[in-house]
Amino acid sequence: MENIVHFDVAAVIMLLIMFVVSLTRKSYKGTTNRMFQLLIVTTLFSALFNAVTAGLENYGCQNDLLLYFTRTMYLILHNFTTPVYVMYIVSLTRTWHKFKKHLCASVLASIPYVAILVAIVLTPLTGLLYTYENGIFTRGKAAIALYINAAFYLALGVGYIIKYGRLLKKRNIVILLSSVPLMILAIVIKCFFPNSLVEIFANAVSLMIISMTIQNPDKNIDGITGLKKYIAYGEEIKMDYENKKHQKIILINLVDFESLQRLLGFEGINLFLRQVAEYLIAHDRKFKAYSDIYYLDRGRFRVVVNSFNLKKAEALAKSISDSSKLPVRVKHIDITAEAVVCLADCPGDIKDFKSLMAFGNDFHERVVRTGELLYASELFKQRDFQIVNAMEDILKRGLENRSFQVYYQPIYSIEKKRFVSAEALIRLIDPEYGFIPPNLFIPFSEKNGAINKIGDIVLDNVCRFISSDRFKELGLDYIEINLSVVQCMQRGLADNVLATINKYGVSPDKINLEITETAANYNQAMLVENMTKLIDAGISFSLDDFGTGYSNMERVASLPLKIVKLDKTFVDNSNKPRLHVFLKGTIKMLKDMDMEIVVEGIETQQMVETFSNLNCDYIQGYFYSKPIPENDFVDFIKQSLISA
Ligand code: C2E
Ligand code: MG
Ligand code: MG
C-alpha cells in the first residue's frame, strides 16, 4: 500500500509560509521568537525528509543506502521537534535560568533524546528501529522507543506548563495544551491508517495556531523600531522578577528626547529611532549576547542580557556606551544625539520592577554626564538615588505622620532697608532617610499626585501663621508660596486657595503665589483663568526662577505678574562681563514693565551691593538667612527690628 504523502506536502507548504512570514516580519527576534523559528525549521525539514522518504518508497526505490539516509534524517529531526517544543515553552515562561541552576535536571531531560539519537544513527547497522531490504521497509523490534521518546517530551512540556502556568496567560496555556490532543489524534489515526502521514501535518497545524496567536507580534512590537515595546517589557521583566531570575539590563536613555523630537519632526525622529534600534541589534549580534531588546518610549531603549550570557553584558554595555554620542543625519539635519547608558544587575541592584521603572525613567537626568558607562550599583550607593528609590514610601509616611514642615526664608527690601516678606519652603524629615530635599520630592509628588496634598499643607500652615497675632508684630507685607505646575493646571485651584484664606480670615494681599516659567509654558488658558480669579480677589503673583527655563518673553510679558525672581544662576554668573550687560538690560526691561525684582541665592555682601546697584528691589539668600522654622523665623525678624 502506498504512503499518502499529501499531508506532508501540505505541512511543508504551511511551514514554509510560516517560516517566510517569521523571517520577513519587521520585528526583532527575541529568544522566544528564535526558539519558535527553530521549531518551524525542524518541523519543516522533518516534513521534507519524510515526504522524500515516502516518495522514494512509493516509487519503488531499491537503493537502501539512500532510503536509510533520508529516513535517518527524518527521524533525527522529527524526534528533535518535541524537545524544541519544550524549549519553546521554557522560553515563553522565561525560566531558562532554572536549567542553569539545576544542571542535573537539564542533563536528565536530554538523556531520552540522546539515547534515541544513538539508536537512530545505529539502526542501519542494528536494525533496531526499522530495516530496509531492497527498498522494503519493516518496523524494528524497538520501534516503540520512538513513541516513548515523543511521549516523554510531550509529558515534560505539559508538566512544565502545569508547574509554571502562573507565568503564562490563560489563553496561551489553552493554546499550548491544545496541541496535545491534536498529536494524540494524529497518532490514533496513524494506528488505523499506518500509511497516512498525518503526524507532521498535526504538528504544522499546532504551529500555525501558535504563530497566529501567541507569536502574533502586533500588540508587543513597536511599529517604528521593530523592537519589543513597553507592554512586553512590563509583562516579561515583571515575570522575571517574580521568578527571581538573574539578568543584566542595559538601560539606554536618549538625552533631551523631546527637543530632538521637535527638531527632527515626526518622520525624522522615527528614522533616527530605527537607526538606534538597528545599531543595538548589530551590537548585540557582534557580542553574540542574544539579548532581548526593547524600545519603551520617549527615547528609552533596554537591552536585557539573559542568564546564560551575563559575562558578555558588561563588554556589550561598555561598547554601547562608547558610542553613546550618535551622529544623526536625517534629511538636511546633521547633529549629535547623546545617550546615557547604565548597567543594572537585576534583582541585585534594583530589587523590584516598580523601582526599575522609576529608576529607568529619569536616571539620565540625575547624573553628571561623563560619557562613561554607569553602574546602577554605584548610583544606588548615592544617597539621592536611595531616596528617589524609596520616595513613594517616604511621601506616604510624611503625609500619614504629618512630618511636613513649613520653613521661612526672609526677603530684604533694599529701599525700605528691612525685611518685608518671606518665602515659605516645605521641609520633610524622614525617620529613615533624614532630610529629603524638595528638589527630589516635589517632582516625584507632581507625578504621583501627592503635590496637591503638600500644596494644601503649605497653604494651610502659611494662612494659620499669617492669621496669628505674633505674625502681625513682624510688620511683613506678604508671604510667598510656591505653586507647582500641576497645581497651576488644577481647575479648582483658585477656589481652594480662596477657601483656605477665608477659613483663617487672611487678607488676600498678604499672599503672593510663585509660579515658574514652565507653568507659563503649559496650558496657559487654565493658568490664566486661575490667576485672573485670584488676582481679582487681591492675591499677587511672582515668576520664580526667571532665566532658567525656556523663556518666552511674549508669554511672560502677557501674564499679570507683580514680581519677577531672578534665579541663582544669574547671581553665580554676574561677574561675567557679557552676562552683566544682559542682566542690566533684563532688569531695565522688567522695570519698564512695572515689575518688582527679587534676586535669589545671594550669599555675600558683595553680591548684595552688585544687585543693589543693578536696581533690584529685594534680596533673598543665605547672606541674610537660610530657610528656618516658624519660631526661629519669628525670633529672627523680631531681632532684626530691634537692631534696626
Ligand atoms: P525655589 O522656589 O527657587 O526656592 C529657592 C531655593 O533656593 C530654596 O531651596 C532655598 O533654600 C534656596 N536658596 C535660597 N537662598 C539660597 C542661597 O543663598 N544659596 C543657595 N545655594 N540656595 C539658596 P529649597 O528649599 O531646597 O527648594 C528648592 C525648590 O523646591 C524651590 O525652589 C521650589 O521650586 C521647590 N519648593 C520648595 N518648597 C516648595 C513648596 O512648598 N511647594 C512647591 N510647589 N515647591 C516647593
Ligand atoms: Mg520659589
Ligand atoms: Mg527660585
Side-chain angles (χ1 to χ4, degrees):
M1 201 165 79
E2 285 201 345
N3 291 306
I4 306 163
V5 286
H6 308 78
F7 281 112
D8 265 357
V9 174
V12 168
I13 294 170
M14 279 166 73
L15 289 158
L16 261 179
I17 294 172
M18 273 187 271
F19 185 61
V20 172
V21 167
S22 83
L23 276 187
T24 50
R25 253 177 197 160
K26 246 174 62 194
S27 62
Y28 175 66
K29 316 277 178 293
T31 320
T32 315
N33 278 334
R34 278 192 289 263
M35 212 42 86
F36 188 66
Q37 265 186 352
L38 181 63
L39 198 52
I40 295 179
V41 172
T42 321
T43 318
L44 173 64
F45 280 95
S46 77
L48 269 175
F49 278 107
N50 195 23
V52 170
T53 315
L56 287 174
E57 286 175 9
N58 284 356
Y59 283 103
C61 170
Q62 297 202 349
N63 185 341
D64 290 347
L65 210 61
L66 181 62
L67 287 166
Y68 270 124
F69 171 72
T70 55
R71 191 168 277 274
T72 304
M73 289 308 289
Y74 155 66
L75 286 176
I76 290 176
L77 289 161
H78 185 54
N79 281 281
F80 191 44
T81 49
T82 34
V84 177
Y85 186 65
V86 176
M87 277 158 33
Y88 174 65
I89 293 170
V90 174
S91 242
L92 274 178
T93 54
R94 303 179 67 80
T95 47
W96 276 112
H97 58 293
K98 305 257 179 206
F99 284 81
K100 200 179 170 191
K101 241 189 190 161
H102 307 287
L103 212 63
C104 189
S106 338
V107 172
L108 273 179
S110 50
I111 285 178
Y113 182 64
V114 175
I116 204 81
L117 205 60
V118 174
I120 293 169
V121 173
L122 293 182
T123 284
L125 303 174
T126 59
L128 259 174
L129 300 171
Y130 62 91
T131 49
Y132 275 118
E133 233 181 283
N134 298 328
I136 306 291
F137 172 82
T138 322
R139 277 164 69 95
K141 271 186 269 161
I144 188 84
L146 292 168
Y147 289 94
I148 295 174
N149 180 65
F152 170 79
Y153 285 107
L154 270 185
L156 192 65
V158 173
Y160 211 84
I161 293 174
I162 293 169
K163 174 137 200 249
Y164 292 106
R166 67 192 157 86
L167 303 173
L168 292 167
K169 288 192 209 95
K170 278 207 186 78
R171 172 175 156 275
N172 289 0
I173 296 178
V174 173
I175 293 162
L176 288 172
L177 290 178
S178 70
S179 54
V180 178
L182 209 62
M183 304 271 184
I184 294 172
L185 184 70
I187 292 169
V188 171
I189 293 178
K190 207 163 170 215
C191 284
F192 288 104
F193 309 98
N195 291 43
S196 61
L197 309 175
V198 286
E199 262 177 279
I200 297 184
F201 181 70
N203 273 354
V205 171
S206 307
L207 292 186
M208 186 70 109
I209 295 172
I210 294 176
S211 118
M212 287 189 314
T213 51
I214 305 179
Q215 287 300 116
N216 188 357
D218 290 350
K219 186 181 76 136
N220 284 330
I221 297 295
D222 175 59
I224 296 162
T225 56
L227 299 177
K228 292 207 263 184
K229 65 182 176 194
Y230 200 82
I231 316 175
Y233 186 72
E235 283 176 1
E236 296 174 4
I237 307 299
K238 211 186 272 172
M239 199 147 104
D240 294 342
Y241 266 106
E242 277 174 28
N243 263 321
K244 302 192 175 42
K245 183 171 176 179
H246 181 200
Q247 58 192 1
K248 295 204 177 185
I249 303 184
I250 306 170
L251 303 102
I252 303 142
N253 285 10
L254 292 174
V255 174
D256 207 0
F257 180 72
E258 279 71 21
S259 305
L260 203 63
Q261 203 170 22
R262 264 196 301 270
L263 194 66
L264 298 179
F266 180 71
E267 278 178 31
I269 195 76
N270 289 353
L271 201 65
F272 172 63
L273 289 173
R274 212 155 29 235
Q275 285 169 6
V276 177
E278 278 162 15
Y279 162 86
L280 290 175
I281 294 170
H283 247 65
D284 184 59
R285 271 207 198 117
K286 201 168 108 193
F287 281 80
K288 296 198 170 58
Y290 305 111
S291 315
D292 281 322
I293 309 183
Y294 303 81
Y295 177 61
L296 305 191
D297 62 348
R298 294 177 300 133
R300 288 151 174 82
F301 291 84
R302 301 290 178 262
V303 177
V304 180
V305 184
N306 75 50
S307 332
F308 282 92
N309 291 309
L310 290 183
K311 286 200 191 98
K312 295 176 183 163
E314 188 168 359
L316 175 62
K318 266 200 181 128
S319 168
I320 293 173
S321 171
D322 283 347
S323 35
S324 62
K325 284 205 167 68
L326 307 160
V328 184
R329 278 182 212 98
V330 175
K331 288 188 229 158
H332 56 284
I333 299 171
D334 193 349
I335 51 166
T336 305
E338 199 182 339
V340 181
V341 184
C342 178
L343 181 64
D345 189 292
C346 300
D349 296 344
I350 306 179
K351 62 180 188 315
D352 55 39
F353 181 68
K354 213 162 141 198
S355 311
L356 175 71
M357 291 309 280
F359 170 78
N361 188 41
D362 60 357
F363 70 90
H364 63 296
E365 288 167 5
R366 289 186 277 121
V367 293
V368 185
R369 293 203 295 274
T370 57
E372 301 271 306
L373 172 67
L374 301 170
Y375 293 85
S377 54
E378 292 294 317
L379 292 178
F380 275 92
K381 280 186 203 140
Q382 294 171 13
R383 190 171 164 270
D384 276 12
F385 269 95
Q386 290 171 2
I387 291 178
V388 170
N389 210 22
M391 195 58 92
E392 187 103 35
D393 293 339
I394 294 176
L395 281 178
K396 210 166 137 216
R397 268 200 294 267
L399 288 168
E400 274 168 9
N401 307 342
R402 297 168 185 261
S403 37
F404 285 98
Q405 277 190 42
V406 178
Y407 277 36
Y408 295 89
Q409 186 176 33
I411 297 174
Y412 186 82
S413 160
I414 296 169
E415 189 200 339
K416 295 183 180 160
K417 295 195 170 45
R418 67 176 174 87
F419 293 102
V420 289
S421 62
E423 176 171 5
L425 292 157
I426 187 101
R427 293 290 176 259
L428 174 60
I429 313 284
D430 182 74
E432 194 177 329
Y433 293 92
F435 175 73
I436 313 291
N439 287 336
L440 292 187
F441 74 79
I442 296 283
F444 195 98
S445 67
E446 285 174 339
K447 282 190 200 122
N448 84 348
I451 187 68
N452 292 316
K453 284 188 190 145
I454 295 175
D456 288 346
I457 294 173
V458 178
L459 188 66
D460 207 80
N461 264 281
V462 173
C463 287
R464 184 198 35 73
F465 179 41
I466 296 178
S467 67
S468 68
D469 289 339
R470 59 185 191 155
F471 181 83
K472 293 182 183 108
E473 293 167 21
L474 306 179
L476 298 180
D477 297 341
Y478 53 85
I479 298 286
E480 294 181 0
I481 299 174
N482 290 286
L483 281 187
S484 120
V485 185
V486 176
Q487 289 173 282
C488 294
M489 299 306 137
Q490 215 74 273
R491 195 168 293 281
L493 172 77
D495 295 337
N496 188 21
V497 172
L498 295 176
T500 312
I501 65 168
N502 287 339
K503 174 177 151 196
Y504 287 99
V506 167
S507 162
D509 64 354
K510 285 273 182 277
I511 302 278
N512 177 284
L513 298 175
E514 291 187 5
I515 59 166
T516 60
E517 284 177 53
T518 331
N521 280 332
Y522 271 82
N523 170 6
Q524 228 186 351
M526 194 68 243
L527 174 69
V528 171
E529 194 183 314
N530 277 327
M531 281 181 85
T532 314
K533 219 168 176 179
L534 291 164
I535 288 172
D536 286 348
I539 291 176
S540 61
F541 277 83
S542 299
L543 185 67
D544 200 0
D545 304 339
F546 180 76
T548 54
Y550 298 97
S551 304
N552 179 328
M553 287 298 175
E554 191 269 325
R555 275 190 207 167
V556 170
S558 66
L559 288 173
L561 297 159
K562 181 181 170 204
I563 300 171
V564 169
K565 301 187 78 169
L566 298 185
D567 190 73
K568 190 172 181 306
T569 43
F570 275 121
V571 178
D572 296 340
N573 296 297
S574 60
N575 55 351
K576 293 184 183 154
R578 284 165 71 93
L579 199 89
H580 195 82
V581 175
F582 178 77
L583 201 53
K584 228 166 146 177
T586 306
I587 291 171
K588 179 171 180 328
M589 180 186 71
L590 294 170
K591 289 261 144 194
D592 286 349
M593 287 195 284
D594 280 336
M595 299 212 209
E596 296 171 14
I597 298 172
V598 178
V599 198
E600 292 185 278
I602 296 281
E603 293 179 356
T604 61
Q605 174 67 42
Q606 195 206 338
M607 283 296 148
V608 176
E609 277 159 26
T610 307
F611 283 89
S612 303
N613 294 338
L614 276 167
N615 224 0
C616 290
D617 304 284
Y618 308 104
I619 307 273
Q620 176 183 355
Y622 293 174
F623 176 70
Y624 294 111
S625 167
K626 288 195 168 184
I628 42 179
E630 192 179 304
N631 287 340
D632 297 353
F633 175 72
V634 171
D635 292 345
F636 176 88
I637 300 289
K638 275 189 181 160
Q639 196 58 45
S640 77
L641 290 175
I642 296 166
S643 32

